[in-house]
Amino acid sequence: MNSPLVPRNAAPAYSLFDLGAIGAGLVFADSLGELAEALGANGAAGTAVVQAPPGTGKTTLVPPLLANIAAGSANGDERPRVVVTQPRRVAARSAARRLAALDGSRLGDRVGYTVRGESKTGPGTLIEFVTPGILLRRLLADPGIESINAVILDEVHERGLETDLLLGMLIEVRGLREDLALVAMSATLDAPRFAALIGGAAVGKDGTGEHDGGGPAPVVNCASALHPLEVDWAPAAVPRLDARGVARAFLDHVADTAGASYAETLAAGPDIDALVFVPGAWEVSYVASRLRARLAARVPGAEVLELHGQASPAEQDRAVSGREPGGPPRIIVSTALAESSLTVPGVRLVIDAGLSRELRRDSNRGMSGLVTVSCSRASAEQRAGRAARQGPGRVVRCYEQKAFGAAPAHPTPEIASADLTGAALVLACWGSPRGRGLALPDTPPQAAMDDAVEVLRELGAISPDGLATDVGKTLARVPADPRLARALLDGAAVVGRREAAEAVALVAGDQRPPGADLTRLLVSLRSGKDPAAARWAEDVRRMEAIARQESSGVVPSLSSRASLTSPASPAEALGFVVALAFPDRVARRVPGSGPERYLLTSGTRAGLPAGSPLAGHQWLAVAEVSRAEGRDAAGTGAVIRSAAPLAADSAQAAASHLLSDTVEAEFKQGRVAARQERRLGAIVLSSTPVRPSVEEGRIAVARALAKDGLGTIGWSTAADALRRRLALLRRELGDPWPDVSEPALLASLDKWLAPELEALAGGAATNGINLAEPLQRLLPWPAAARLGDLAPEWLDVPSGSRVRIDYPDAADDGGRPVVAVKLQECFGWAETPRLAGGRVPVLFHLLSPARRPLAVTDDLASFWSGPYAQVRAEMRGRYPKHPWPEDPWTAPATAKTKHRT
């Protein structure tokens, strides 16, 4: 009987992988048969989802299995090719190195890897580990990938943007190539959902592609390889995060906890190493430095290694390679780089800060950046699992158990929070603009995709139908953000290929410049002293070659930047190229004392890190700006992470499409004033007083009225009184009386205020305009002839006086007209006057001789018959000179004292 692990055809001209030897001691070896059967169930290369916990050996065993299966269908001496994606370069190198060692072959022969700037492969390579970006560019260059027999997407649960794109594109490729095997692998994958996606079945509301309705791909599970794991909780007495990010006091706690726990663990087993998880490269350096000081006395000779994306390949490989025989104890302080894909030999103790860095996009400010958040529960479990892969282990979590319970179940998919410019270009080149028709795990957010498409249009990278132009296809071949790719090609013609390549390789790299100063980082890399210098130099060579090859075929960008003259000095070339890439981030210093603040052309304000060498420069070309709080943000809510100095003329040249000359007219202090402004985006370069045109004046007046209403012009006493009278009649009688509410008046300005508005637009002042006259244009004739009867301005009282009626505010829906009059002037008045055709009684405020309120009533007859007696008793002694008759019905009404009467 044929084994499913061995091809059925004749023996190839090369040896197959010895899965028995490679899989010795690996738990997943027991699942190889099931996977082989699943992949060959239909007689053609198949699909499968592998769900296996960390440490089971799936990354080591599945690739050679697929290579052996592919050998069974190879023609003659044709060698199969299996490509395995790993989300990180260090994981790709480590996996390839381990498999080559188990195979007994030299790295780069049968097993190799390709990552950015480095490749170890040969003509006989059967299995190649790559990062997702490498495979993406190969797919765009060769959509059929005819030379590849199988693709394995590892660590799909991390939901990296490029891996998600690969998944959708490869599913489409399999529609044309049934001989292409496709396997997705993860430790914490949502297996049924991805199985349905890969197999072509409907996946529910989260799926975005158009599936063929086939059945789901087989799911191959594997039992856990973890040994017993002890979980301890050691929360700090201080918060993990403060206004500046990760609190230093918390990092001190993590380092001290790690040192104490490791010293304790070493007492039980001197061959044990430890792994400490913190969120970023700066935190790695800080904790590692404190650990070295703490362990010097407690564990003499112990090595403290740093593992993060900015470390050199040699440093990364040394950290993940395990302790050498007879070597000293080791603590590896790492970012999430060591969370999955890697088994670090000897690690039996994990110290976890419980934090991670995730991409977040600020759509209002148009910027993305990494923010520090609590890691997901899945990530915490992955980290803990590092300690129990090779024996019983222990994890110490430096936070409270309730924080673990409150954490999200899984990390946020990168497609939901990242800048999608690069992804949108890939999709446009693939023929699926915006991802339409592609079986992606999640739909790209529309707002982020809209922004990305707009950027690509400005670069000339896509056509009106959303597909990639020739320029777009050229930019996609550059292994960098499309904006940097465009700057490489445009900048090469201005500052030279070498300088442009250096700038783009610098910004596209992993290094965080000290104090946000890219110039200082460039000097360090050029000197060769920086650990990343060799990799950067290789990137520069590749970028320079691309610029030489592609520049002749690229038309000038929309801003005609290719016609620009070179910056005045070579030192400005870096800033100029960065500005070409990100013209919306060109920034000018905001004058004033206090922390440094910069205004970007996009309108965003941002601070500089404290002590930055860039402080004081008037202009900066900003490569990265992210949301932040604390001192560095200087109250702006954002901080510049990397930038280079820029001359003013270079700033205007690089962002020339943002230059504008406009007359800004505004209505202030009662009249229209205007200034001619030259702007670079949101930055005002110059402002000169000018006389506005009438049209500019109209716009300014309209803007002021929309913002502040008719109070901009002001209501005179007469105008306000007329408006109040009309408002009462509108409320009580309706049509034909006009609606004089603020919204209604603003909506009908052309009917009643047009001449005055034209005068204001021409330069007239508001103090020469009385709204009473224009308001009369709204009076309905002939009904307006009765205005004085229905809503009189004055009321004649029995004493002979004429008292002004105080009508309610126009916005008051229930107010009453009020007459404030001395009580003595109303003696004998029995019937309360009514307005609006008898609908509204006047509300009397009856006043004392000192004009203080004595009573409020809209029923004079009732007042004289009742409450008046009490008022008389209280007031006659206080105001003896004024009449307070016992019988108010027969007493003469008067405004005078007794003597004058």
Side-chain angles (χ1 to χ4, degrees), residues 506 512-522 574 612-614 617 641-645:
L506 180 72
R512 176 64 62 83
D517 187 0
L518 284 170
T519 305
R520 181 169 292 189
L521 177 59
L522 180 60
L574 172 59
S612 171
L614 297 173
H617 284 281
R641 301 295 185 188
S642 63

Side-chain angles (χ1 to χ4, degrees), residues 798 824-831 864 887-893:
Q824 286 80 4
E825 295 195 58
C826 297
F827 287 153
W829 205 353
E831 185 175 353
W864 299 129
D887 182 7
W889 294 102
T890 59

Side-chain angles (χ1 to χ4, degrees), residues 367-393:
M367 62 186 183
S368 298
L370 293 170
V371 297
T372 305
V373 297
S374 292
C375 71
S376 67
R377 296 195 301 276
S379 294
E381 296 293 355
Q382 286 263 3
R383 295 175 183 184
R386 305 294 104 183
R389 283 193 170 188
Q390 297 177 311

Side-chain angles (χ1 to χ4, degrees), residues 4 8 14 23 27 56 87 92 120 148 173 237 244 382 418 422 429 474 607 656 668 716 804 827 832 871-872 884:
R8 296 182 175 90
Y14 52 87
V27 176
T56 53
K120 281 192 177 296
I148 298 175
V173 172
R244 298 180 61 187
Q382 286 263 3
C429 291
T474 297
S656 58
K668 61 180 182 180
S716 66
R804 182 181 293 276
F827 287 153
T832 302
V871 171
R872 174 178 180 271
W884 298 96

Side-chain angles (χ1 to χ4, degrees), residues 174 180 319:
R174 265 193 53 80
L180 177 68

Side-chain angles (χ1 to χ4, degrees), residues 20 57 78 138 142 313 418 609-610 626 649 672 707 739 743 825 855:
E78 179 183 334
R138 289 183 185 175
D142 176 19
S626 62
D649 56 349
V672 174
K707 178 183 178 184
D739 184 351
E825 295 195 58

